């Protein structure tokens, strides 16, 4: 091999080395850019999940306009539904209630019986009758007296703190109440309801919660007044099981904490000592 051939081979090797090193530099730069983009995407995704899975909104009937976003304000039940219906299953929704009454004029079925966790809490604690409230209207009083309801879906939950619940008492005296008049429901595998410092007031024939065939339902009442409703906890079917905890529960005007004819303590009902 001549000196010229060796020089040409060395030059070719130097060019190849330079191209290889350039390739590595470009690859490192692309990897760094893509990693930064992925990190940004992951950060955005975490923020999106947080914003969608755990939200806080405010009910203020006197607000000038609605702001249906996390941290925003709604004024009506329809505005509330338009905000929470697009949320994913298992979302936790905290509602801070300003003084006023939120009229429940449409049934709420969580994601066609998916799961959602609702917390309704007064902004300032007040005594019964002065608290923020949910008012459940009648939607059928021609064939029977039937009220609107909230269904949190499979294993969903509802927590109420220092708010009151009212059923529309403008009933049709000529017809009977529906046998399924419940304030809270959960389709499939039961649900959980907890009320603290609340009043539930309604005409005879309405119920707070039901335990259906095959369900496990949980009801917790702490410093609660049940006024006029038939049962805090009723039973539908013959194979449901319920958990009931009570502390300082007061009943008035015919209300009962649970349907004693349908439940047997130790068989289909597990309950703490009831203080009335």
């Amino acid at each position: 091999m001549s000196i010229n051939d060796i020089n040409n081979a060395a030059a070719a090797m130097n060019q190849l080395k330079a191209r290889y090193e350039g390739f590595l530099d470009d690859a490192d730069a692309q990897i760094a850019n893509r990693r930064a983009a992925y990190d940004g995407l992951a950060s955005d995704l975490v923020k999106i999940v947080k914003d969608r899975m755990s939200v806080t909104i405010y009910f203020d009937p006197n607000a000038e306009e609605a702001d249906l976003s996390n941290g925003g304000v709604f004024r009506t039940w329809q505005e509330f539904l338009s905000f929470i219906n697009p949320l994913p299953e298992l979302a936790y929704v905290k509602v801070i209630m300003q003084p006023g009454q939120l009229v429940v004029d449409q049934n709420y079925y969580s994601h066609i019986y998916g799961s959602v966790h609702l917390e309704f809490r007064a902004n300032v604690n007040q005594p019964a009758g002065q608290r923020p409230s949910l008012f459940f209207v009648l939607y059928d009083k021609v064939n029977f007296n039937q009220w609107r309801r909230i269904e949190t879906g499979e294993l969903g939950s509802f927590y109420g703190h220092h708010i009151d619940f009212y059923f529309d008492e403008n009933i049709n005296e000529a017809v009977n109440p529906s046998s399924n008049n419940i304030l809270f429901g959960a389709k499939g595998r039961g649900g959980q309801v907890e009320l603290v410092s609340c009043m539930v007031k309604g005409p005879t024939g309405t119920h707070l919660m039901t335990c259906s065939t095959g369900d496990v339902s949980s009801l917790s009442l702490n410093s609660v007044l049940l006024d006029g409703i038939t049962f805090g906890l009723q039973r539908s079917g013959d194979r449901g099981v319920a958990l009931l905890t009570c502390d300082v529960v007061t009943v008035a005007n015919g209300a009962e904490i649970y349907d004693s004819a349908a439940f047997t303590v130790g068989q289909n009902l597990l309950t703490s000592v009831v203080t009335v």
Side-chain angles (χ1 to χ4, degrees):
M1 179 179 293
S2 67
I3 295 297
N4 191 45
D5 291 337
I6 293 174
N7 289 337
N8 289 338
M13 288 294 295
N14 290 333
Q15 290 177 357
L16 180 61
K17 179 175 179 294
R19 292 184 62 186
Y20 176 70
E21 291 175 344
F23 169 78
L24 291 180
D25 290 340
D26 290 341
D28 288 342
Q30 291 184 35
I31 290 172
N33 290 335
R34 292 180 181 181
R35 181 174 295 163
Y38 292 148
D39 289 344
L41 180 61
S43 178
D44 290 344
L45 182 58
V46 170
K47 183 177 184 303
I48 289 172
V49 170
K50 287 183 176 179
D51 287 344
R52 301 277 290 170
M53 294 300 295
S54 181
V55 300
T56 298
I57 55 177
Y58 297 83
F59 167 66
D60 185 355
N62 299 313
E64 293 185 1
E65 59 183 359
D67 177 13
L68 304 181
S69 61
N70 193 356
V73 176
F74 70 96
R75 302 160 300 177
T76 67
W77 188 249
Q78 292 298 324
E79 290 175 347
F80 173 70
L81 295 184
S82 69
F83 172 75
I84 66 169
N85 280 336
L87 295 178
E89 290 187 16
L90 301 177
Y92 193 94
V93 182
K94 178 186 288 187
V95 179
I96 307 298
M97 298 189 71
Q98 303 290 353
Q101 188 171 79
L102 178 56
V103 178
V104 180
D105 53 9
Q106 181 176 337
N107 287 345
Y108 171 58
Y109 299 111
S110 171
H111 308 290
I112 315 301
Y113 305 128
S115 299
V116 70
H117 302 284
L118 300 177
E119 175 182 345
F120 279 72
R121 167 185 294 274
N123 185 44
V124 178
N125 296 341
Q126 297 286 344
Q130 300 178 32
R131 301 168 181 150
S133 62
L134 272 66
F135 181 80
F136 295 80
V137 303
L138 283 154
Y139 73 90
D140 186 341
K141 60 177 182 177
V142 176
N143 303 298
F144 43 75
N145 293 307
Q146 177 76 59
W147 285 261
R148 296 295 184 184
R149 68 168 67 178
I150 295 174
E151 294 214 10
T152 54
E154 297 178 350
L155 300 178
S157 66
F158 184 100
Y159 175 78
H161 189 277
H162 268 91
I163 61 175
D164 292 335
F165 304 87
Y166 296 92
F167 290 90
D168 185 355
E169 297 193 24
N170 184 27
I171 64 175
N172 181 353
E173 299 285 355
V175 297
N176 295 321
S178 166
S179 61
N180 200 27
N181 273 326
I182 57 172
L183 185 60
F184 301 106
K187 288 290 185 181
R189 297 186 291 173
Q192 180 177 355
V193 174
E194 181 176 359
L195 302 182
V196 177
S197 297
C198 297
M199 177 177 67
V200 184
K201 181 177 176 59
T204 300
T206 53
H207 314 293
L208 184 60
M209 190 180 185
T210 190
C211 180
S212 300
T213 297
D215 289 347
V216 177
S217 299
S218 174
L219 175 62
S220 176
L221 305 175
N222 185 346
S223 300
V224 171
L225 168 62
L226 303 179
D227 185 354
I229 67 173
T230 303
F231 301 117
L233 180 66
Q234 70 157 171
R235 192 161 179 252
S236 176
D238 59 358
R239 292 186 295 277
V241 174
L243 308 176
L244 174 64
T245 62
C246 298
D247 185 29
V248 192
V249 178
T250 304
V251 295
N253 297 315
E256 299 179 49
I257 296 177
Y258 67 92
D259 183 358
S260 58
F263 286 106
T264 301
V265 176
Q267 294 185 11
N268 50 31
L269 177 65
L270 179 62
T271 182
S272 63
V273 176
V274 176
T275 303
V276 180

